[in-house]
Structures are given as C-alpha cells and as structure tokens.
C-alpha cells in the first residue's frame, strides 16, 4: 500500500530546530538544519553521507581532517574502510560539479586526509521549519531523469516513463509526483495496474477502488465520472499489460480534468496524441557511481554495518557490471550479502539468476525476483519478437528494426553504437526458460 499522504502533499508533522547554521561558498548556500544545498537558488541533490561530509569539512574552516576522523564523524562507532569514504567523497564532488581534484572544494591530501578549499561565509538565520517525515521516494543517481520528467510535465502535461523491468520507473514516477504535487490541490491519485486498484485521497482519508472488472462492466465509466473537474497528479503505473484501459483513462483525464497532469509507467509507448515518452536507462556503473552507491547502501542495511573492505567494493563493482546497473537486480543481490558474502553473490550472479530473488514481501510480485521482473517484460512480447530475442541471444544479427525497438523498450536488449546485444541477466533468464521447457517436455 502506497503512502499517499506524503505524495499528495498533505503536510506531515513538523518540528522546529534551535540550531541555525547557514554557510555560503561560491555560488552555493548550505543550510545545515534544513539539510539543504542550493546552487544559485536551485536545490542540489546530494546524498545524506555526502551532505554530512560537506558539513564536517566546512565546520573545520579549511583545516585538514584525517580520514579516520572524518569516518568517525559520519559513521560514529563503526569501523569504516577508506574505500567507502572515497565513494561518498566522489559523490560529493560530483554534486558540486567539480571533478577536477586540483580545483575541487573538497581536496584530498594523500596520506593526510581531506579539507575544504574555498572562502566560507557563515550566517545566523531564523530557525527553519523542518518536515519530520522524510520524502516518500528516495532515488539514487536519478536526479537528471527526475528533472527531465518534471520539465516534461510542466511543459507538456504528461510523461510516459519507459524502460525495462526493475530500472525504477515506479519510484521515479512517485518522486516526480512528489516534487510537483504542491501545485495541484487535489493531490495525487495512483492507478496501480498490477494490483488492479486505485488509491485516492479524500480529505485525510485513504480510499481503495477495485478495477479488476473494468474490462467487462461499467466501472470504468463510473471512475471517469469521478475524475471530472480535478486538478491533480495522476500516476498510471504498469500500463504495458492494459494499454487500452490506460489510454482510455488518459483521454478521460485530459477531457474532464484538463488542468491535471499524467505520469505513466510502461514498457511500451501508449500511443495517445501528444504523448511524451522518456526512456529510463539502468544506473551508470563505475567505481564511485550510483550503481555502486546503491549496492553498498543496501548491503549496509542488511549486514548492519557500513564497513567494507576494498576487496568487497571491488566485488560490488563487478556485481553491478554483471547486472548492467539494474536497480532491482542490485537491491536483490545486495540482500544476499549476509548469507553468501560479496564473493558468493558475485559467483552466483555469474552463473545463474536464482541469487536475484527474495525481495521485500511488501513489493509487487514482479519486484521480488529478477526472473519475475523479466517474465513480466517477456509476457508482453509478440511471438515474433520472442523469436527475435532468442535469435539475438544466440549471437545472430537481425534486420527487423521494429522488433529491436520493441525489445529495447522492454529492456530485453541494448543498443550501443550500431551493435545490439542481449544483457547477461536476460541471457540467464532465457537459458532458464529453455531448461524449464526441456524439463516439461522430457
């Protein structure tokens, strides 16, 4: 069940803080109690650990902070490897748009530690009001995608987030709704097409409407009537298996509530007039990129410690490469670290897809294993596209550009330059399907 309260913009409980620190350096303003970093008045997305590192270094006024001391300030009482600290320092530099180590605000002094380099101004400001509740949707490495989605909504009034299973379309849709919801007084209404239900907000009450009979009854007509005159954010999630219903709802929203906006998630384009399709790719995989950051954060939650060796960070990078930066696969793999260890997860991910299972019980069934996520994508394919996918998985080439485009939308093949390839996870999935078919026919 989604927590609509936060997404719909209903104010959660608040608290006041007696601390009022604000620092300015260059074009940036850092508000400590508000945990907010701004660049020329615009918010800068920065992770919690990276934010704490920045505050710690700034408070030292340019003095060198040893790596061990910085780790203790960020992760008090926990033995932390410097490799993990370097990951978050690199993420901070990236947030500050300063990858050049010689001109960066955050300077690394080999063998000594870290220091802040820049002119700092400190101000006393009135204590702000801080939301007690954290944002509903936390994203890693998706700020550019989020800004693009919000821009599409502001300019065109709709966006269809498209991409393969597990890339985070739903999370991104909810984050976009959360960011823009304050402009829409009727809040956010979420149509969940996997659970076949709708969540809506009536004052401060949460209501559920079943729509499983929408195909053969007048319930959809009734629902369309309730949409009239609203100024809301509509999220249509998981549209690929119910495209006709989704298109009908979009048409009804645009006709009956023209001041509303629509965010859809789908592995296929819905095809309505004026649709804006935004492709969502897997997370970038590099030494200090968001894929590694996500894995380490998920692993830390499982093992109860933020202390990782350099060898474990290296294994993390290899795991992320094997799963091609797919966020769901990363979360599922990280969940097995306590049981198998980093090397064990890596070994199993190289040879089979079973290790990528055991997701949260509260998750949709398709998000509890990579096999289920890929099966969801595979099920929408035409028979001819399935043959095309199998042919490509065996190293053959294809001239059916339309089929390849549909497979790319479903996240089952990738195109890099002029080459088309089938990712490792999809290869494992197809191998498992072949094995199951053989077993049934034996």
């Amino acid at each position: 069940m989604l927590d609509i309260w936060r997404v719909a913009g209903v104010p959660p409980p608040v608290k006041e803080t007696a601390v009022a620190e604000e620092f300015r350096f260059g074009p940036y303003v850092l508000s400590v109690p508000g945990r907010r970093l701004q660049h020329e008045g615009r918010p800068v997305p920065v992770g919690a650990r990276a934010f704490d590192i920045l505050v710690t270094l700034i408070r030292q006024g340019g003095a060198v902070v040893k790596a061990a001391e910085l780790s203790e300030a960020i992760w008090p009482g926990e033995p932390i490897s410097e490799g993990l600290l370097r990951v978050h320092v690199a993420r901070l530099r990236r947030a500050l748009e300063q990858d050049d180590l010689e001109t960066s605000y955050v300077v690394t002094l080999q063998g000594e530690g870290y220091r802040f380099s820049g002119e700092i101004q400190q101000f006393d400001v009135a204590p702000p009001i801080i939301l007690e509740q954290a944002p509903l949707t936390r994203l890693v490495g998706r700020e550019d995608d989020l800004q693009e989605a919000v821009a599409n909504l502001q300019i065109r009034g709709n966006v269809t987030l498209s991409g393969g299973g597990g890339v985070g379309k739903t999370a991104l849709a909810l984050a976009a709704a959360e960011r823009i919801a304050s402009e829409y007084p009727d809040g956010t209404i979420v149509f969940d097409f996997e659970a076949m239900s709708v969540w809506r907000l009536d004052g401060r009450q949460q209501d559920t409407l079943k729509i499983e009979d929408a195909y053969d009854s007048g319930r959809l007509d009734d629902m369309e009537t309730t949409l009239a005159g609203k100024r809301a954010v509509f999220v249509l999630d998981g549209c690929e298996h119910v495209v006709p219903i989704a298109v009908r709802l979009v048409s009804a929203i645009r006709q009956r509530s023209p001041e509303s906006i629509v965010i859809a998630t789908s592995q296929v384009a819905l095809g309505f007039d004026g649709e804006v399709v935004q492709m969502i790719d897997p997370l970038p995989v590099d030494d200090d990129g968001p894929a590694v950051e996500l894995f380490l954060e998920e692993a830390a939650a499982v093992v109860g410690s933020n202390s990782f060796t350099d060898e474990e960070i290296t294994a993390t990078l290899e795991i992320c490469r094997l799963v091609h930066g797919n966020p769901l696969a990363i979360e599922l793999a990280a969940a097995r670290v306590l049981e198998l260890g980093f090397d064990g997860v890596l070994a199993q991910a190289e040879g089979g897809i079973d290790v990528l299972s055991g997701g949260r019980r509260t998750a949709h069934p398709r998000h509890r294993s990579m096999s289920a996520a890929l099966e969801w994508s595979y099920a929408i394919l035409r028979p001819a596209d399935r043959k095309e996918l199998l042919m490509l998985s065996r190293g053959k080439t294809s001239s059916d550009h339309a089929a390849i485009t549909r497979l790319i939308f479903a996240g089952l093949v990738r195109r890099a330059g002029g080459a088309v390839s089938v990712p490792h996870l999809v290869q494992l999935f197809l191998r498992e399907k072949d094995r199951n078919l053989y077993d049934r026919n034996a």
Side-chain angles (χ1 to χ4, degrees):
M1 181 66 70
L2 292 173
D3 180 4
I4 289 297
W5 303 119
R6 186 63 182 94
V7 177
V10 175
V14 298
K15 65 179 180 180
E16 293 189 3
T17 176
V19 179
E21 283 183 287
E22 184 173 283
F23 299 96
R24 299 184 187 182
F25 55 97
Y28 293 94
V29 176
L30 176 70
S31 172
V32 178
R35 296 192 66 81
R36 183 176 63 251
L37 178 64
Q38 293 180 307
H39 178 271
E40 296 180 344
R42 301 187 63 180
V44 176
V46 59
R49 303 300 187 188
F51 185 92
D52 291 339
I53 290 171
L54 179 60
V55 171
T56 302
L57 294 178
I58 283 181
R59 281 175 171 168
Q60 297 304 310
V64 176
V65 181
K66 294 180 180 179
E69 295 173 349
L70 187 55
S71 296
E72 176 61 23
I74 308 305
W75 296 277
E78 297 186 38
I80 300 298
S81 67
E82 190 168 353
L84 180 60
L85 178 61
R86 287 198 299 268
V87 167
H88 288 284
V89 168
R91 295 293 294 165
L92 173 58
R93 288 196 179 106
R94 187 172 299 173
L96 295 172
E97 300 179 348
Q98 289 196 324
D99 293 324
D100 185 346
L101 300 185
E102 294 184 1
T103 62
S104 175
Y105 284 118
V106 180
V107 177
T108 302
L109 301 174
Q110 296 297 330
E112 296 184 52
Y114 302 87
R115 71 179 181 87
F116 184 85
S117 176
E119 184 177 346
I120 305 169
Q121 295 177 293
Q122 183 173 359
F123 295 85
D124 292 328
V125 295
I129 299 297
I130 304 174
L131 293 179
E132 184 79 70
Q133 181 176 340
L136 169 72
T137 308
R138 182 189 171 280
L139 299 177
V140 174
R142 291 297 190 201
E143 183 60 28
D144 289 346
D145 292 320
L146 180 56
Q147 289 182 2
E148 182 180 348
V150 170
N152 285 327
L153 292 168
Q154 291 172 332
I155 296 170
R156 303 292 297 276
N158 79 87
V159 66
T160 298
L161 304 177
S162 190
V167 296
K169 300 183 295 294
T170 300
L172 184 60
L174 295 177
E178 181 182 15
R179 182 161 292 190
I180 207 168
S182 62
E183 303 173 24
Y184 294 85
D186 291 316
T188 296
I189 301 174
V190 181
F191 289 76
D192 182 340
F193 287 119
E194 180 177 1
M196 294 305 286
S197 59
V198 183
W199 290 275
R200 70 181 180 189
L201 198 69
D202 294 325
R204 295 189 65 84
Q205 299 297 316
Q206 190 165 289
D207 190 13
T208 303
L209 303 174
K210 293 295 181 184
I211 60 171
E212 62 268 15
D213 55 350
Y215 288 102
D216 54 7
S217 75
R219 278 301 307 281
L220 200 53
D221 289 329
D222 295 338
M223 243 179 289
E224 289 178 2
T225 300
T226 68
L227 304 181
K230 290 189 179 296
R231 189 163 181 242
V233 181
F234 288 90
V235 178
L236 280 58
D237 188 34
C239 299
E240 55 269 3
H241 288 271
V242 290
V243 171
I245 287 182
V247 172
R248 180 175 170 178
L249 280 173
V250 171
S251 178
I253 291 167
R254 297 172 84 182
Q255 290 176 9
R256 298 171 185 252
S257 301
E259 294 187 6
S260 293
I261 59 174
V262 177
I263 309 171
T265 72
S266 177
Q267 293 182 19
V268 298
L270 301 182
F272 58 84
D273 289 342
E275 180 184 21
V276 179
V277 178
Q278 179 181 336
M279 290 298 299
I280 308 303
D281 295 321
L283 295 174
V285 179
D286 49 55
D287 289 351
D288 55 10
V292 170
E293 179 185 0
L294 176 61
F295 189 101
L296 292 178
E297 289 192 4
E298 292 291 324
V302 171
V303 302
S305 172
N306 287 296
S307 178
F308 302 112
T309 66
D310 289 342
E311 290 76 14
E312 288 171 335
I313 293 175
T314 298
T316 294
L317 180 60
E318 291 305 312
I319 293 168
C320 291
R321 284 174 176 161
L322 271 179
V323 302
H324 296 277
N326 182 288
L328 175 61
I330 289 171
E331 292 175 0
L332 293 170
R336 305 297 296 275
V337 164
L338 184 62
E339 173 189 356
L340 302 172
F342 284 77
D343 289 340
V345 172
L346 175 58
Q348 292 206 22
E350 287 174 335
I353 202 170
D354 289 345
V355 70
L356 304 176
S357 61
R360 298 178 179 89
R361 293 180 181 178
T362 54
H364 282 316
R366 77 175 187 269
H367 289 157
R368 295 175 191 168
S369 73
M370 273 311 299
S371 290
L374 291 171
E375 185 65 52
W376 178 272
S377 302
Y378 187 81
I380 67 174
L381 296 180
R382 306 173 184 181
D385 291 351
R386 295 182 183 182
K387 292 180 180 179
E388 201 75 16
L389 176 62
L390 188 60
M391 183 180 70
L392 291 168
S393 74
R394 293 171 177 170
K396 299 180 181 179
T397 58
S398 171
S399 59
D400 190 340
H401 299 297
I404 290 174
T405 298
R406 289 191 291 270
L407 292 170
I408 290 173
F409 264 75
L412 297 172
V413 303
R414 301 189 189 287
R415 179 184 281 132
V420 175
S421 64
V422 179
H424 175 70
L425 284 180
V426 181
Q427 295 273 11
L428 295 176
F429 167 75
L430 293 173
R431 188 188 309 166
E432 188 66 26
K433 287 191 73 69
D434 280 348
R435 184 182 300 116
N436 291 339
L437 180 62
Y438 176 82
D439 290 343
R440 286 197 299 269
N441 294 331

